[in-house]
Amino acid sequence: MIEKKHCCSESSEFSEHSEPLESSEHSRHSHHHHELREKIVLIVLTVVLLLAAVWIERSFALPMWQLLLVYLVPYLVIGHDTLKEAVEGLVHGDAFNEHFLMSVATIGALCIGFLPGADTEFAEAVFVMLFFQIGELFEGYAEGKSREGIAHLMDIRPDVAHVLREGAGMQDVAPEQVAVGEIIVVRPGEKIPLDGIVVEGNTSLNTVALTGESLPREVAEGDEVVSGCVNLNKLIKVRARKSYGESTVSKIISLVEHAGERKSRSEAFITRFARVYTPVVVLAAVAIAIVPPFLLTSHLSPLTSQFSTWLYRALLFLVVSCPCALVISVPLTFFGGIGGASRSGILVKGSSFFDVLSQLGTVVFDKTGTLTYGQFAVEAVHPDMMDEHELLHLAAHVEHFTTHPIGAALRDAFPDEAADGCQVSDVEEVAGQGIRARVADREVCVGNAKMMETVGAKWHDCKHDVGTIIHVAVVVDGQWTYAGHIVINDRVKADSAEAIAQLHQLGVRRTVMLTGDRQEVACDVAKRLGLSEYHSGLMPADKVAHMERLLSEARTEDTAHYVAFVGDGINDAPVLARADVGIAMGGLGSDAAIEAADVVLMDDQPTKVALAVRIARRTLSIARQNVVFAIGVKLAVLGLAVLGLATMWMAVFADVGVTVLAVFNAMRALRNQETL
C-alpha cells in the first residue's frame, strides 16, 4: 500500500524529519520510486474505468443505485488508500487532515444524487479523488527531488575500510571498527573512510561532495585528508587520526539529519495555522449545509431542495478549503532550500536560519583563516645589492632546516632550493634574532632588525609593505653588508574583496573585521577589502565584547537587523555562538566549525556568505509566493462556493491545482544555487 502523509498534522515528514537519512538511504530511495510508479498505474487505471463508467451512464438508463455501483469501481481504485488514511486518522485522534476532508467531500458528492431534485455528482466525486491523487503524485515527485538535494551528501559515506593489521594483512572492515592510529589503504576510485594523514603515496582527491567545488585537491605524504573525499589517481595509505564517530563525514551526516528540527517562522506559523484552520473549516461547512436551508425554506422552495443545494455548496467549501497547498509547499520550499544550498557546499543547520540570513545588516569577519589563508607567504622582495632571485636563494637556503612558518614561506617562494645542490653548513640559530649560516662559500644572516644591529649591517625599514620584515645580510670583503629584505605576510584570499562587495550590494550596511593581529596589518587588510570598520589586537573575550556591542546597536537602529559572525570555528567558537547566526569557514579541516556554527561553508570561499544570503532570501520569497497564491485563490473560490457560483471543477483547481502549482514553485528552491 502506498504510504501517505498527514500534511495537516504535526507528523508531517517535512516538519519533523523523524526518519534518519543515514539508515537504509538507498533502499528507501528505491521504495519511494516504487511508490510513485504504483500511483501512476492506479491513476491510469482509474482514468480508463472512469471513461467506461461515463459511457455506461450515457448508453444505459440504469437505476440510481446501479449507477452508483458503476462509479464506485473507479472511486475505490483511486481512493481506497485515502479512505483508509481518513479512518486511521479518526481512530488515532487526527481527524482533521486532508484525507478526512477529501473523503467527506467525495462521499457527500456520491450521496447527494439520492436527494429529491438533486443532480447526480458521481463523476465529479471520482474526478475530485482522481485529481487529489494526481496532486499527491506531483507532491511525492517534488519530495523525492528535495530529498535527493540533501541525500546526495550520503554519497560521501564510505561503506568499507581496507585496514593493514600486523599479522593479519589487509582486512576489509566497517569504518566504525577502525581504531585511531591504524593504517588504511585507499585505492583509486574509493572514498576515504576516516580523517587521517597520508603516510605513503600521492594522489588527487575529488572533494565535490563536501565543498561543491569540482577542482581536484592534490595531496602527498604528510598532508591531512578528510573522510568522504574520493581518491582519483593513485593508491595511498592513510593513518587514521580520528574514530568514525568523530570524522568529518559522520558529523556532516548528523548535521543533515537534524537540519529540519529548527523550523523557520513560516513553517511554525503554518503548523499552528493548520491546527486551528482545519477544524474551523469543517464546522463552517457543517453550518453552510444546515443553517441556510432552514432560514430559506418556504412553500416555493421546500427543505429537501434547499438542503441539497446547500449541501453541495458545503462539499465544494470542504474541497476548496483543504490546506494542503500551504502545509505541503511551505515546508517543502525550506527543505528544498536546504538541499539546494548543500549542493553549493553550504550546510544550513535548520530552516530557522533562513529567516536570519535574509535580514542581515551587519556581517562580522575574523581575519586569519577567514578573509586570509592563515599561511605565511612571501609578498614582496626588496634587494639592495643583488637581484630578487639571488636574495630569495640565500634566504631559503639559510632557512633550510628550520620548522618555523617563516622559513617554510621562504622555501616555498624558492622551490629550487631543495634540488639545486647548493651546500649549507655552519648553521647557527640566534634565539630571538634569526639564523646565521654558510651558503656555498658565502656567510649569510637572515633575521630581524635586532640581528642586523648585532652583526653591524646598516639596514633600512620597509616603508610601503605591511607584514613581517625579514632582513638579509652577507659578508663582503670581511664586513657584514646589508643585502635587502623580504616581506612575509598572511595572504588575502582571492575572493575576499568580491565577498565584501557582494554583501554591500545585497544591502548589508556594516562589514566589520575583528582580529588579534597588529593594527597596521589589520588596517592594510581592511583598506584592501573595503571593510566598513576593523578592530585589532583582540583577545577572544574582546571579540565577544565587540559582538555584544554590535548586537545592541543592530537592535536599536531605525531598521532593526541581524548580525552574523564568520570565523574559522576553532578559537572563535564563543563569538560564533553569540551571534544571531554563526557561519563557519573551512569546514574541511575544522571540527569546531561543524560543532559551533549554524551555517557551515564546506570550503574557504568568503563569497559563499553572500550566496547563503541570496539562497535564504530566494527561499523565503518562494514560500511567501505560495502562501499568498494559495490563500488568495482559496478565498476567491470559497466566496463563490457560498454564493452558489462555484463548480466542482473550480473547487478541484482551488485545492489540487493550487497544490500542484505551489509544489512546482517550491521545487525552484532546488535550482543550481551558484547562478543566483
Side-chain angles (χ1 to χ4, degrees):
M1 198 62 66
I2 299 175
E3 291 183 0
K4 305 284 277 184
K5 298 184 300 297
H6 298 283
C7 73
C8 301
S9 70
E10 270 197 292
S11 60
S12 169
E13 183 176 3
F14 296 116
S15 298
E16 297 298 330
H17 295 292
S18 58
E19 179 186 3
L21 285 172
E22 185 177 355
S23 61
S24 304
E25 180 62 30
H26 294 293
S27 61
R28 190 196 56 76
H29 183 68
S30 176
H31 179 62
H32 177 75
H33 281 285
H34 175 72
E35 289 180 343
L36 293 181
R37 287 193 297 269
E38 183 181 342
K39 191 180 286 288
I40 291 172
V41 170
L42 289 177
I43 289 172
V44 173
L45 179 59
T46 300
V47 171
V48 173
L49 292 173
L50 181 58
L51 292 175
V54 172
W55 178 80
I56 291 173
E57 179 182 7
R58 294 183 178 180
S59 302
F60 304 97
L62 297 178
M64 187 73 71
W65 66 273
Q66 292 181 0
L67 194 59
L68 174 62
L69 292 177
V70 170
Y71 277 100
L72 276 177
V73 175
Y75 176 81
L76 292 175
V77 167
I78 195 64
H80 64 279
D81 53 346
T82 300
L83 296 172
K84 178 184 175 184
E85 291 289 338
V87 173
E88 290 180 354
L90 288 171
V91 172
H92 294 101
D94 180 30
F96 299 114
N97 57 61
E98 82 275 21
H99 306 286
F100 174 78
L101 295 179
M102 284 297 119
S103 297
V104 170
T106 53
I107 291 173
L110 290 172
C111 296
I112 200 171
F114 290 94
L115 294 174
D119 296 327
T120 61
E121 304 291 347
F122 298 151
E124 285 83 349
V126 180
F127 269 116
V128 169
M129 191 62 77
L130 174 64
F131 280 101
F132 177 68
Q133 293 295 340
I134 291 175
E136 292 265 295
L137 174 67
F138 284 113
E139 174 201 335
Y141 172 76
E143 172 197 334
K145 296 298 288 184
S146 293
R147 278 196 168 275
E148 287 174 10
I150 291 181
H152 80 283
L153 285 174
M154 297 309 103
D155 292 338
I156 69 178
R157 184 171 184 252
D159 300 316
V160 67
H162 312 301
V163 184
L164 290 176
R165 287 176 173 164
E166 191 173 346
M170 189 167 68
Q171 295 182 334
D172 292 347
V173 301
E176 294 86 347
Q177 298 174 347
V178 179
V180 174
E182 289 192 299
I183 304 298
I184 307 165
V185 176
V186 186
R187 302 172 181 138
E190 293 181 339
K191 303 180 187 74
I192 296 175
L194 288 92
D195 295 4
I197 298 174
V198 178
V199 294
E200 184 178 323
N202 60 83
T203 187
S204 300
L205 299 180
N206 181 349
T207 65
V208 67
L210 294 174
T211 67
E213 298 301 315
S214 58
L215 187 66
R217 176 186 169 205
E218 303 297 325
V219 295
E221 187 174 329
D223 290 337
E224 292 188 3
V225 293
V226 297
S227 51
C229 297
V230 179
N231 183 7
L232 294 178
N233 305 123
K234 304 173 184 177
L235 184 145
I236 57 173
K237 294 181 181 178
V238 177
R239 185 185 303 279
R241 64 182 184 92
K242 295 180 184 176
S243 64
Y244 178 76
E246 294 298 316
S247 65
T248 301
V249 64
S250 177
K251 291 182 178 180
I252 292 173
I253 290 173
S254 176
L255 181 155
V256 174
E257 285 180 3
H258 299 96
E261 293 180 356
R262 297 174 175 176
K263 295 181 182 179
S264 69
R265 289 196 299 269
S266 301
E267 285 183 284
F269 164 76
I270 292 300
T271 301
R272 295 192 303 269
F273 173 80
R275 224 182 263 154
V276 176
Y277 170 83
T278 312
V280 169
V281 162
V282 173
L283 293 175
V286 172
I288 291 172
I290 295 175
V291 176
F294 285 100
L295 296 178
L296 300 175
T297 298
S298 66
H299 67 282
L300 297 176
S301 180
L303 178 62
T304 53
S305 175
Q306 287 286 347
F307 185 70
S308 63
T309 298
W310 286 96
L311 177 60
Y312 181 73
R313 294 181 184 181
L315 295 175
L316 292 180
F317 188 89
L318 274 182
V319 173
V320 173
S321 59
C322 182
C324 297
L326 294 175
V327 182
I328 293 171
S329 66
V330 172
L332 180 63
T333 300
F334 287 101
F335 197 57
I338 292 173
S342 70
R343 289 183 180 274
S344 299
I346 302 171
L347 299 185
V348 184
K349 289 189 177 180
S351 55
S352 61
F353 300 114
F354 282 136
D355 293 315
V356 180
L357 285 169
S358 67
Q359 300 178 55
L360 287 182
T362 301
V363 178
V364 185
F365 292 90
D366 174 46
K367 182 184 78 70
T368 306
T370 302
L371 295 173
T372 66
Y373 286 105
Q375 297 175 344
F376 282 113
V378 171
E379 193 167 274
V381 180
H382 298 291
D384 262 29
M385 55 174 289
M386 58 185 66
D387 59 26
E388 294 183 6
H389 181 272
E390 188 176 0
L391 188 66
L392 278 174
H393 163 83
L394 293 175
H397 280 77
V398 170
E399 297 280 352
H400 177 81
F401 298 104
T402 183
T403 58
H404 194 280
I406 288 178
L410 290 169
R411 293 194 299 272
D412 289 342
F414 194 80
D416 296 333
E417 176 265 336
D420 64 1
C422 189
Q423 296 296 317
V424 180
S425 59
D426 301 332
V427 179
E428 178 190 355
E429 184 166 353
V430 181
Q433 297 186 20
I435 299 175
R436 177 186 299 174
R438 179 174 292 276
V439 179
D441 58 348
R442 307 179 73 173
E443 260 193 285
V444 185
C445 274
V446 176
N448 55 24
K450 191 173 182 180
M451 189 167 205
M452 296 298 104
E453 293 171 356
T454 299
V455 299
K458 294 183 179 180
W459 60 278
H460 56 81
D461 205 349
C462 180
K463 298 180 180 179
H464 305 292
D465 298 294
V466 176
T468 300
I469 309 300
I470 303 300
H471 299 280
V472 180
V474 297
V475 174
V476 178
D477 297 331
Q479 290 187 340
W480 286 102
T481 305
Y482 190 66
H485 58 264
I486 300 168
V487 182
I488 294 179
N489 207 350
D490 184 4
R491 290 184 299 131
V492 173
K493 291 180 181 177
D495 65 333
S496 289
E498 182 185 353
I500 303 303
Q502 288 183 11
L503 287 171
H504 288 158
Q505 291 170 4
L506 289 170
V508 174
R509 293 188 289 277
R510 299 176 73 179
T511 50
V512 184
M513 182 177 69
L514 303 179
T515 179
D517 213 335
R518 303 191 312 274
Q519 196 277 337
E520 61 270 22
V521 174
C523 179
D524 178 64
V525 172
K527 286 181 179 179
R528 290 165 63 181
L529 300 185
L531 291 162
S532 305
E533 61 185 89
Y534 70 92
H535 302 276
S536 59
L538 303 178
M539 299 295 287
D542 300 325
K543 291 186 178 182
V544 174
H546 275 285
M547 175 56 66
E548 294 285 359
R549 174 183 60 82
L550 292 168
L551 286 167
S552 176
E553 292 174 358
R555 301 295 188 268
T556 56
E557 289 183 9
D558 294 337
T559 305
H561 58 264
Y562 291 111
V563 179
F565 181 80
V566 188
D568 62 6
I570 299 173
N571 53 5
D572 293 317
V575 201
L576 281 167
R578 184 62 189 91
D580 291 319
V581 58
I583 304 175
M585 301 288 294
L588 271 179
S590 173
D591 295 335
I594 295 176
E595 297 291 341
D598 306 310
V599 178
V600 180
L601 309 183
M602 295 307 295
D603 55 26
D604 287 331
Q605 295 185 20
T607 48
K608 290 291 179 72
V609 178
L611 179 59
V613 173
R614 293 198 297 272
I615 291 173
R617 291 181 180 178
R618 183 168 182 268
T619 301
L620 284 170
S621 174
I622 292 173
R624 293 191 191 102
Q625 291 166 13
N626 283 339
V627 170
V628 172
F629 174 66
I631 292 178
V633 172
K634 285 180 180 294
L635 287 176
V637 180
L638 283 174
L640 294 174
V642 174
L643 297 174
L645 301 176
T647 65
M648 186 62 76
W649 294 109
M650 289 184 186
V652 170
F653 172 76
D655 175 43
V656 179
V658 168
T659 299
V660 171
L661 292 175
V663 165
F664 277 137
N665 192 40
M667 289 176 65
R668 292 169 51 225
L670 279 167
R671 198 184 72 188
N672 182 3
Q673 306 294 343
E674 297 286 357
T675 60
L676 295 181

